[in-house]
Short mmCIF file of all heavy atoms in Angstrom, two decimals:
data_model
loop_
_atom_site.label_atom_id
_atom_site.label_comp_id
_atom_site.label_asym_id
_atom_site.label_seq_id
_atom_site.Cartn_x
_atom_site.Cartn_y
_atom_site.Cartn_z
N VAL A 593 0.86 -1.18 0.00
CA VAL A 593 0.00 0.00 0.00
C VAL A 593 0.90 1.23 0.00
O VAL A 593 2.07 1.16 0.40
CB VAL A 593 -0.95 0.05 1.23
CG1 VAL A 593 -1.87 -1.17 1.27
CG2 VAL A 593 -0.16 0.16 2.52
N ASN A 594 0.36 2.35 -0.44
CA ASN A 594 1.12 3.60 -0.39
C ASN A 594 0.34 4.74 0.26
O ASN A 594 0.75 5.89 0.20
CB ASN A 594 1.60 4.01 -1.78
CG ASN A 594 0.47 4.08 -2.79
OD1 ASN A 594 -0.69 4.19 -2.41
ND2 ASN A 594 0.79 4.02 -4.07
N SER A 595 -0.77 4.39 0.91
CA SER A 595 -1.53 5.38 1.68
C SER A 595 -2.37 4.65 2.72
O SER A 595 -2.72 3.47 2.54
CB SER A 595 -2.44 6.22 0.77
OG SER A 595 -3.54 5.45 0.32
N MET A 596 -2.73 5.36 3.78
CA MET A 596 -3.57 4.76 4.81
C MET A 596 -4.97 4.45 4.26
O MET A 596 -5.63 3.52 4.72
CB MET A 596 -3.68 5.69 6.02
CG MET A 596 -2.40 5.80 6.84
SD MET A 596 -1.88 4.22 7.56
CE MET A 596 -3.20 3.93 8.73
N ASP A 597 -5.40 5.21 3.27
CA ASP A 597 -6.72 4.96 2.66
C ASP A 597 -6.78 3.60 1.98
O ASP A 597 -7.87 3.05 1.79
CB ASP A 597 -7.05 6.06 1.65
CG ASP A 597 -7.32 7.40 2.31
OD1 ASP A 597 -7.65 7.41 3.51
OD2 ASP A 597 -7.20 8.42 1.62
N ALA A 598 -5.62 3.06 1.59
CA ALA A 598 -5.60 1.77 0.92
C ALA A 598 -5.78 0.61 1.89
O ALA A 598 -5.99 -0.53 1.47
CB ALA A 598 -4.29 1.59 0.16
N ILE A 599 -5.69 0.89 3.20
CA ILE A 599 -5.92 -0.15 4.21
C ILE A 599 -7.38 -0.08 4.64
O ILE A 599 -7.81 0.87 5.29
CB ILE A 599 -4.99 0.03 5.42
CG1 ILE A 599 -3.53 0.01 4.97
CG2 ILE A 599 -5.25 -1.06 6.46
CD1 ILE A 599 -2.53 0.29 6.08
N LYS A 600 -8.15 -1.10 4.29
CA LYS A 600 -9.58 -1.09 4.59
C LYS A 600 -9.88 -1.59 5.99
O LYS A 600 -10.77 -1.07 6.67
CB LYS A 600 -10.32 -1.94 3.55
CG LYS A 600 -10.16 -1.44 2.11
CD LYS A 600 -10.83 -2.37 1.12
CE LYS A 600 -10.66 -1.88 -0.30
NZ LYS A 600 -11.28 -2.81 -1.29
N GLU A 601 -9.16 -2.63 6.42
CA GLU A 601 -9.45 -3.22 7.73
C GLU A 601 -8.29 -4.07 8.20
O GLU A 601 -7.63 -4.74 7.39
CB GLU A 601 -10.72 -4.08 7.65
CG GLU A 601 -11.18 -4.64 8.98
CD GLU A 601 -12.46 -5.45 8.84
OE1 GLU A 601 -12.52 -6.34 7.97
OE2 GLU A 601 -13.41 -5.20 9.61
N ILE A 602 -8.02 -4.03 9.49
CA ILE A 602 -7.04 -4.92 10.12
C ILE A 602 -7.70 -5.55 11.35
O ILE A 602 -8.20 -4.84 12.23
CB ILE A 602 -5.76 -4.17 10.54
CG1 ILE A 602 -5.02 -3.62 9.32
CG2 ILE A 602 -4.83 -5.10 11.34
CD1 ILE A 602 -3.83 -2.74 9.66
N LYS A 603 -7.72 -6.86 11.40
CA LYS A 603 -8.25 -7.57 12.55
C LYS A 603 -7.15 -8.44 13.16
O LYS A 603 -6.53 -9.23 12.45
CB LYS A 603 -9.43 -8.46 12.15
CG LYS A 603 -10.70 -7.70 11.77
CD LYS A 603 -11.84 -8.66 11.47
CE LYS A 603 -13.13 -7.92 11.14
NZ LYS A 603 -14.25 -8.86 10.83
N VAL A 604 -6.92 -8.24 14.46
CA VAL A 604 -5.89 -9.01 15.16
C VAL A 604 -6.57 -9.91 16.18
O VAL A 604 -7.32 -9.45 17.05
CB VAL A 604 -4.88 -8.09 15.88
CG1 VAL A 604 -3.85 -8.93 16.63
CG2 VAL A 604 -4.18 -7.17 14.87
N ASN A 605 -6.36 -11.21 16.06
CA ASN A 605 -6.90 -12.18 17.01
C ASN A 605 -5.74 -13.05 17.50
O ASN A 605 -5.34 -14.01 16.86
CB ASN A 605 -7.97 -13.04 16.35
CG ASN A 605 -8.60 -14.04 17.32
OD1 ASN A 605 -8.41 -13.93 18.54
ND2 ASN A 605 -9.31 -15.02 16.80
N LYS A 606 -5.17 -12.62 18.63
CA LYS A 606 -4.00 -13.28 19.21
C LYS A 606 -2.87 -13.32 18.18
O LYS A 606 -2.32 -12.28 17.84
CB LYS A 606 -4.38 -14.66 19.74
CG LYS A 606 -5.37 -14.61 20.89
CD LYS A 606 -5.68 -15.98 21.44
CE LYS A 606 -6.64 -15.88 22.62
NZ LYS A 606 -6.97 -17.22 23.16
N THR A 607 -2.52 -14.49 17.66
CA THR A 607 -1.40 -14.59 16.72
C THR A 607 -1.84 -14.57 15.26
O THR A 607 -1.02 -14.74 14.36
CB THR A 607 -0.59 -15.88 16.97
OG1 THR A 607 -1.45 -17.01 16.78
CG2 THR A 607 -0.03 -15.89 18.39
N GLN A 608 -3.12 -14.35 15.03
CA GLN A 608 -3.65 -14.33 13.66
C GLN A 608 -4.04 -12.89 13.28
O GLN A 608 -4.77 -12.23 14.02
CB GLN A 608 -4.88 -15.24 13.54
CG GLN A 608 -4.63 -16.68 13.92
CD GLN A 608 -3.65 -17.37 12.99
OE1 GLN A 608 -3.76 -17.26 11.77
NE2 GLN A 608 -2.69 -18.09 13.56
N ILE A 609 -3.53 -12.44 12.13
CA ILE A 609 -3.84 -11.10 11.65
C ILE A 609 -4.48 -11.22 10.27
O ILE A 609 -3.96 -11.93 9.40
CB ILE A 609 -2.58 -10.22 11.53
CG1 ILE A 609 -1.75 -10.26 12.81
CG2 ILE A 609 -2.96 -8.78 11.17
CD1 ILE A 609 -0.38 -9.64 12.65
N ASN A 610 -5.59 -10.55 10.08
CA ASN A 610 -6.23 -10.49 8.77
C ASN A 610 -6.32 -9.04 8.33
O ASN A 610 -6.83 -8.19 9.06
CB ASN A 610 -7.63 -11.11 8.81
CG ASN A 610 -7.58 -12.63 8.90
OD1 ASN A 610 -7.36 -13.31 7.91
ND2 ASN A 610 -7.76 -13.15 10.10
N ALA A 611 -5.81 -8.77 7.15
CA ALA A 611 -5.83 -7.41 6.61
C ALA A 611 -6.54 -7.39 5.28
O ALA A 611 -6.34 -8.27 4.44
CB ALA A 611 -4.41 -6.89 6.45
N GLU A 612 -7.38 -6.37 5.09
CA GLU A 612 -8.05 -6.14 3.81
C GLU A 612 -7.53 -4.82 3.26
O GLU A 612 -7.58 -3.79 3.94
CB GLU A 612 -9.56 -6.08 3.98
CG GLU A 612 -10.20 -7.40 4.40
CD GLU A 612 -10.11 -8.46 3.31
OE1 GLU A 612 -10.15 -8.08 2.12
OE2 GLU A 612 -9.99 -9.65 3.65
N ILE A 613 -7.00 -4.88 2.04
CA ILE A 613 -6.42 -3.69 1.45
C ILE A 613 -6.88 -3.52 0.00
O ILE A 613 -7.36 -4.48 -0.62
CB ILE A 613 -4.87 -3.74 1.49
CG1 ILE A 613 -4.33 -4.87 0.60
CG2 ILE A 613 -4.37 -3.88 2.91
CD1 ILE A 613 -2.83 -4.90 0.47
N ASP A 614 -6.72 -2.32 -0.50
CA ASP A 614 -6.92 -2.08 -1.93
C ASP A 614 -5.86 -2.89 -2.68
O ASP A 614 -4.67 -2.80 -2.37
CB ASP A 614 -6.73 -0.58 -2.20
CG ASP A 614 -7.01 -0.20 -3.65
OD1 ASP A 614 -6.52 -0.92 -4.55
OD2 ASP A 614 -7.68 0.81 -3.88
N ASP A 615 -6.30 -3.67 -3.66
CA ASP A 615 -5.37 -4.60 -4.30
C ASP A 615 -4.68 -4.03 -5.54
O ASP A 615 -4.08 -4.79 -6.32
CB ASP A 615 -6.08 -5.91 -4.66
CG ASP A 615 -7.18 -5.72 -5.69
OD1 ASP A 615 -7.43 -4.58 -6.09
OD2 ASP A 615 -7.79 -6.74 -6.09
N THR A 616 -4.71 -2.71 -5.72
CA THR A 616 -4.08 -2.12 -6.90
C THR A 616 -2.62 -2.49 -7.01
O THR A 616 -2.13 -2.94 -8.06
CB THR A 616 -4.24 -0.59 -6.89
OG1 THR A 616 -5.62 -0.26 -6.85
CG2 THR A 616 -3.60 0.02 -8.12
N LEU A 617 -1.86 -2.29 -5.92
CA LEU A 617 -0.43 -2.61 -5.96
C LEU A 617 -0.19 -4.11 -6.02
O LEU A 617 0.80 -4.57 -6.61
CB LEU A 617 0.28 -2.01 -4.75
CG LEU A 617 0.52 -0.50 -4.79
CD1 LEU A 617 1.17 -0.04 -3.49
CD2 LEU A 617 1.37 -0.11 -5.97
N LEU A 618 -1.09 -4.90 -5.43
CA LEU A 618 -0.93 -6.35 -5.47
C LEU A 618 -0.97 -6.86 -6.91
O LEU A 618 -0.32 -7.85 -7.25
CB LEU A 618 -2.02 -7.03 -4.65
CG LEU A 618 -2.02 -6.79 -3.15
CD1 LEU A 618 -3.15 -7.57 -2.49
CD2 LEU A 618 -0.69 -7.18 -2.54
N LYS A 619 -1.75 -6.19 -7.76
CA LYS A 619 -1.90 -6.63 -9.14
C LYS A 619 -0.73 -6.20 -10.02
O LYS A 619 -0.49 -6.78 -11.07
CB LYS A 619 -3.19 -6.05 -9.73
CG LYS A 619 -4.46 -6.66 -9.12
CD LYS A 619 -5.70 -6.01 -9.71
CE LYS A 619 -6.97 -6.63 -9.16
NZ LYS A 619 -8.19 -5.97 -9.70
N THR A 620 0.00 -5.15 -9.58
CA THR A 620 1.04 -4.60 -10.45
C THR A 620 2.46 -4.78 -9.91
O THR A 620 3.41 -4.69 -10.67
CB THR A 620 0.81 -3.10 -10.66
OG1 THR A 620 0.86 -2.43 -9.39
CG2 THR A 620 -0.55 -2.85 -11.29
N ASN A 621 2.60 -5.04 -8.62
CA ASN A 621 3.93 -5.04 -7.99
C ASN A 621 4.43 -6.46 -7.78
O ASN A 621 3.92 -7.19 -6.95
CB ASN A 621 3.85 -4.30 -6.66
CG ASN A 621 5.23 -4.10 -6.05
OD1 ASN A 621 6.20 -4.66 -6.52
ND2 ASN A 621 5.30 -3.30 -5.02
N GLU A 622 5.44 -6.86 -8.52
CA GLU A 622 5.96 -8.21 -8.41
C GLU A 622 6.68 -8.47 -7.09
O GLU A 622 6.80 -9.62 -6.67
CB GLU A 622 6.92 -8.49 -9.57
CG GLU A 622 6.27 -8.47 -10.93
CD GLU A 622 7.27 -8.74 -12.04
OE1 GLU A 622 8.33 -9.32 -11.73
OE2 GLU A 622 6.99 -8.35 -13.18
N THR A 623 7.13 -7.43 -6.43
CA THR A 623 7.94 -7.65 -5.23
C THR A 623 7.15 -8.35 -4.14
O THR A 623 7.70 -9.16 -3.40
CB THR A 623 8.47 -6.32 -4.65
OG1 THR A 623 7.40 -5.51 -4.22
CG2 THR A 623 9.30 -5.60 -5.68
N VAL A 624 5.85 -8.08 -4.02
CA VAL A 624 5.10 -8.65 -2.91
C VAL A 624 4.91 -10.15 -3.05
O VAL A 624 4.59 -10.83 -2.09
CB VAL A 624 3.72 -7.96 -2.76
CG1 VAL A 624 3.89 -6.49 -2.50
CG2 VAL A 624 2.85 -8.20 -3.98
N LEU A 625 5.10 -10.69 -4.23
CA LEU A 625 4.91 -12.11 -4.43
C LEU A 625 6.08 -12.93 -3.90
O LEU A 625 5.95 -14.13 -3.69
CB LEU A 625 4.69 -12.41 -5.92
CG LEU A 625 3.48 -11.72 -6.54
CD1 LEU A 625 3.37 -12.09 -8.02
CD2 LEU A 625 2.20 -12.09 -5.82
N CYS A 626 7.22 -12.29 -3.70
CA CYS A 626 8.39 -13.05 -3.23
C CYS A 626 9.06 -12.37 -2.05
O CYS A 626 10.10 -12.80 -1.60
CB CYS A 626 9.41 -13.19 -4.36
SG CYS A 626 10.10 -11.61 -4.86
N SER A 627 8.47 -11.31 -1.53
CA SER A 627 9.16 -10.48 -0.56
C SER A 627 8.48 -10.54 0.80
O SER A 627 7.28 -10.38 0.91
CB SER A 627 9.18 -9.04 -1.06
OG SER A 627 9.56 -8.18 -0.01
N ASP A 628 9.29 -10.79 1.81
CA ASP A 628 8.79 -10.67 3.18
C ASP A 628 9.99 -10.57 4.09
O ASP A 628 10.43 -11.55 4.65
CB ASP A 628 7.92 -11.86 3.57
CG ASP A 628 7.34 -11.68 4.96
OD1 ASP A 628 7.49 -10.60 5.55
OD2 ASP A 628 6.75 -12.64 5.48
N SER A 629 10.54 -9.38 4.20
CA SER A 629 11.76 -9.21 4.97
C SER A 629 11.55 -9.57 6.43
O SER A 629 12.50 -9.94 7.12
CB SER A 629 12.25 -7.77 4.85
OG SER A 629 11.26 -6.86 5.25
N ALA A 630 10.29 -9.47 6.92
CA ALA A 630 10.05 -9.76 8.33
C ALA A 630 10.36 -11.20 8.67
O ALA A 630 10.78 -11.51 9.78
CB ALA A 630 8.59 -9.43 8.68
N GLY A 631 10.16 -12.09 7.75
CA GLY A 631 10.39 -13.49 8.04
C GLY A 631 11.64 -14.05 7.41
O GLY A 631 11.87 -15.25 7.41
N GLY A 632 12.48 -13.20 6.86
CA GLY A 632 13.74 -13.65 6.31
C GLY A 632 13.76 -13.79 4.81
O GLY A 632 14.78 -14.14 4.22
N TRP A 633 12.64 -13.52 4.12
CA TRP A 633 12.64 -13.57 2.66
C TRP A 633 13.27 -12.29 2.12
O TRP A 633 12.92 -11.20 2.53
CB TRP A 633 11.22 -13.72 2.12
CG TRP A 633 10.59 -15.02 2.47
CD1 TRP A 633 10.81 -16.24 1.91
CD2 TRP A 633 9.63 -15.25 3.50
NE1 TRP A 633 10.06 -17.21 2.52
CE2 TRP A 633 9.32 -16.63 3.49
CE3 TRP A 633 8.99 -14.43 4.44
CZ2 TRP A 633 8.42 -17.20 4.37
CZ3 TRP A 633 8.09 -15.00 5.31
CH2 TRP A 633 7.81 -16.36 5.27
N ARG A 634 14.14 -12.42 1.15
CA ARG A 634 14.84 -11.28 0.59
C ARG A 634 13.94 -10.54 -0.40
O ARG A 634 13.38 -11.12 -1.29
CB ARG A 634 16.10 -11.76 -0.12
CG ARG A 634 16.89 -10.68 -0.81
CD ARG A 634 17.53 -9.72 0.18
NE ARG A 634 18.56 -10.37 0.97
CZ ARG A 634 19.32 -9.71 1.82
NH1 ARG A 634 19.19 -8.42 1.98
NH2 ARG A 634 20.22 -10.36 2.53
N SER A 635 13.80 -9.24 -0.19
CA SER A 635 12.98 -8.43 -1.09
C SER A 635 13.59 -8.37 -2.49
O SER A 635 14.79 -8.27 -2.64
CB SER A 635 12.84 -7.00 -0.55
OG SER A 635 12.12 -6.98 0.64
N LYS A 636 12.74 -8.45 -3.48
CA LYS A 636 13.16 -8.28 -4.87
C LYS A 636 12.91 -6.82 -5.23
O LYS A 636 11.81 -6.44 -5.61
CB LYS A 636 12.38 -9.22 -5.78
CG LYS A 636 12.82 -9.21 -7.23
CD LYS A 636 12.00 -10.21 -8.02
CE LYS A 636 12.40 -10.20 -9.49
NZ LYS A 636 11.59 -11.15 -10.28
N ILE A 637 13.94 -6.01 -5.10
CA ILE A 637 13.79 -4.57 -5.25
C ILE A 637 13.95 -4.19 -6.72
O ILE A 637 15.01 -4.37 -7.31
CB ILE A 637 14.82 -3.83 -4.39
CG1 ILE A 637 14.65 -4.21 -2.92
CG2 ILE A 637 14.70 -2.32 -4.58
CD1 ILE A 637 15.81 -3.78 -2.04
N LYS A 638 12.87 -3.68 -7.30
CA LYS A 638 12.92 -3.33 -8.73
C LYS A 638 12.90 -1.82 -8.94
O LYS A 638 13.51 -1.32 -9.88
CB LYS A 638 11.73 -3.97 -9.46
CG LYS A 638 11.75 -5.49 -9.41
CD LYS A 638 10.68 -6.10 -10.28
CE LYS A 638 11.01 -5.97 -11.75
NZ LYS A 638 10.06 -6.70 -12.61
N THR A 639 12.20 -1.09 -8.09
CA THR A 639 12.14 0.36 -8.23
C THR A 639 12.40 1.01 -6.88
O THR A 639 11.99 0.49 -5.84
CB THR A 639 10.77 0.84 -8.76
OG1 THR A 639 9.74 0.41 -7.85
CG2 THR A 639 10.49 0.26 -10.14
#
C-alpha cells in the first residue's frame, strides 16, 4: 500500500492477523509475491 486509505481493515486475534487492502499494488507489484523481509525472505527490489 502507499496510503492509509488503501488499508480497509485490520483484525488481530491473538497470533492471527487479517488485513483487507486495496489490491491495486498487489496486481502490479511483483515484489510482494516473493518479498517478506520480516520473516527472512529477501525483497526483490525493482524500483
Side-chain angles (χ1 to χ4, degrees):
V593 301
N594 54 20
S595 73
M596 289 298 293
D597 291 339
I599 302 176
K600 299 176 181 178
E601 185 178 51
I602 296 174
K603 290 183 178 180
V604 179
N605 182 14
K606 296 182 178 179
T607 61
Q608 302 295 314
I609 310 169
N610 286 281
E612 293 292 328
I613 65 174
D614 184 314
D615 64 357
T616 301
L617 285 177
L618 294 181
K619 291 178 178 178
T620 60
N621 188 350
E622 295 180 21
T623 64
V624 299
L625 300 180
C626 65
S627 167
D628 183 8
S629 56
W633 294 283
R634 177 69 67 175
S635 294
K636 185 178 179 181
I637 301 167
K638 298 187 72 173
T639 59

